[in-house]
């Protein structure tokens, strides 16, 4: 009962904080500058890790398909078709979002937590600044804008990695692989990936911001809250992955 009560208390606190976050910024010029800064910190700085993971996992997906579905009755194009579906519907929007949760949620929570324990947030509040909107909203907006772009980038890189995997195996020609990629392509797949990433971006940025902003204690607590931000973001991402998949499919 105590854990259930604590859960609902934190949920209520989270909702009240988000109510303060989504208010009109007091200074739009400063807000735009902070959004651009957060897009670099959360988005551009994540491109390398997204590229590396996408290319290797894309290759691994095709290699696994070729190794486990090798059968003379299967047409060759099925490997490209299946890899495209797996990458677009699940790998890029979900697995990459989990990677971004590990990288970005910990950064957001530790940054806000450090500002809380050093009393920077208190100083801003004394000056009459709406700190939830000033500190948290740019992170949410930057995540919502840039994370879908990272996922689209991941999809193309993973498909390219799949081509590398096909060449490594030597049993699938590029013509057959590309034919499978093009077969029965529907824009609903890309829409599904973007919608799922949009939701994941909100989950990551809001939960991490809540964990850092409401931090109580000293410097040790910064690490604790950063870990909680990553774990809770990952769990909620998987829950909403199931919900959104059920709604779309």
């Amino acid at each position: 009962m105590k854990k259930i009560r604590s859960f609902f208390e934190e949920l209520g606190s989270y909702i009240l904080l988000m109510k303060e976050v989504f208010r009109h910024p007091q200074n739009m010029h400063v807000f735009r500058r902070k959004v651009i800064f957060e897009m670099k910190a959360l988005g551009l700085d994540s491109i390398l890790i997204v590229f590396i993971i996408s290319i290797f996992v894309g290759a691994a997906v095709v290699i696994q398909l070729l190794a486990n579905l090798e059968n003379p009755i299967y047409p060759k194009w099925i490997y490209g078709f299946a890899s495209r579906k797996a990458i677009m519907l699940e790998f890029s929007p979900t697995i990459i979002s989990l990677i971004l949760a590990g990288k970005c949620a910990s950064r957001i929570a530790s940054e806000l937590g450090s500002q809380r324990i050093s009393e920077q947030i208190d100083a801003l509040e004394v000056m009459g600044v709406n700190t939830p909107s000033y500190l948290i909203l740019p992170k949410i907006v930057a995540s919502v804008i840039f994370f879908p772009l990272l996922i689209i980038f991941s999809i193309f890189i993973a498909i390219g990695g799949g081509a590398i995997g096909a060449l490594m195996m030597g049993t699938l020609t590029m013509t057959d692989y590309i034919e499978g990629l093009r077969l029965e392509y529907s824009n609903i797949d890309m829409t599904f990936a973007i919608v799922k990433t949009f939701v994941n971006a909100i989950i990551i940025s809001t939960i991490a911001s809540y964990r850092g902003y409401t931090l109580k204690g000293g410097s040790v607590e910064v690490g604790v809250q950063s870990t909680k931000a990553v774990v809770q973001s990952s769990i909620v991402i998987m829950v909403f992955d199931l919900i959104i998949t059920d709604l779309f499919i």
Side-chain angles (χ1 to χ4, degrees), residues 46-76:
S46 301
I47 287 179
L48 180 60
I49 189 171
V50 170
F51 175 84
I52 293 172
I53 293 172
S54 297
I55 196 166
F56 282 105
V57 174
V61 167
V62 173
I63 291 173
Q64 288 282 7
L65 288 172
L66 288 169
N68 293 285
L69 295 180
E70 189 174 359
N71 194 309
I73 68 170
Y74 293 149
K76 289 293 185 180

Side-chain angles (χ1 to χ4, degrees), residues 130-222:
N130 177 15
T131 52
S133 177
Y134 178 75
L135 295 173
I136 298 175
L137 188 57
K139 301 181 191 301
I140 297 174
V141 173
S143 300
V144 167
I145 292 173
F146 215 97
F147 281 15
L149 298 178
L150 284 175
I151 297 307
I152 294 171
F153 173 73
S154 170
I155 289 171
F156 283 101
I157 296 300
I159 288 173
I164 295 173
L167 292 173
M168 289 173 62
M169 291 294 285
T171 57
L172 181 67
T173 65
M174 281 299 96
T175 301
D176 292 328
Y177 180 69
I178 293 172
E179 181 184 356
L181 293 177
R182 298 176 61 185
L183 185 68
E184 296 183 4
Y185 172 77
S186 173
N187 286 331
I188 193 67
D189 291 348
M190 185 62 77
T191 302
F192 174 77
I194 292 174
V195 168
K196 190 187 287 191
T197 307
F198 180 84
V199 174
N200 292 343
I202 294 175
I203 291 169
I204 294 167
S205 55
T206 56
I207 291 179
S209 297
Y210 168 76
R211 278 293 159 204
Y213 187 85
T214 59
L215 181 144
K216 296 177 181 177
S219 56
V220 175
E221 194 66 20
V222 174

Side-chain angles (χ1 to χ4, degrees), residues 1-10:
M1 289 296 295
K2 189 175 181 180
K3 287 186 177 181
I4 295 175
R5 181 182 175 182
S6 176
F7 169 77
F8 281 106
E9 285 178 351
E10 286 202 338

Side-chain angles (χ1 to χ4, degrees), residues 11-54:
L11 180 61
S13 178
Y14 169 82
I15 293 171
L16 290 174
L17 177 61
M18 291 305 111
K19 182 181 176 182
E20 295 296 319
V21 168
F22 290 100
R23 286 188 174 183
H24 192 274
Q26 294 170 310
N27 188 320
M28 287 302 298
H29 177 67
V30 174
F31 175 74
R32 283 193 294 268
R33 286 173 56 190
K34 287 184 69 66
V35 168
I36 293 172
F37 173 80
E38 296 296 344
M39 287 176 68
K40 177 187 180 300
L42 299 175
L44 285 176
D45 291 349
S46 301
I47 287 179
L48 180 60
I49 189 171
V50 170
F51 175 84
I52 293 172
I53 293 172
S54 297

Side-chain angles (χ1 to χ4, degrees), residues 95-163:
I95 304 303
I96 295 299
S97 291
L98 291 173
I99 300 300
L100 292 173
K103 180 181 183 296
C104 298
S106 59
R107 178 191 177 277
I108 293 171
S110 60
E111 178 185 329
L112 290 173
S114 298
Q115 290 176 328
R116 172 63 73 184
I117 63 174
S118 62
E119 300 182 349
Q120 294 179 45
I121 294 177
D122 297 331
L124 288 171
E125 289 175 346
V126 168
M127 291 188 292
V129 177
N130 177 15
T131 52
S133 177
Y134 178 75
L135 295 173
I136 298 175
L137 188 57
K139 301 181 191 301
I140 297 174
V141 173
S143 300
V144 167
I145 292 173
F146 215 97
F147 281 15
L149 298 178
L150 284 175
I151 297 307
I152 294 171
F153 173 73
S154 170
I155 289 171
F156 283 101
I157 296 300
I159 288 173

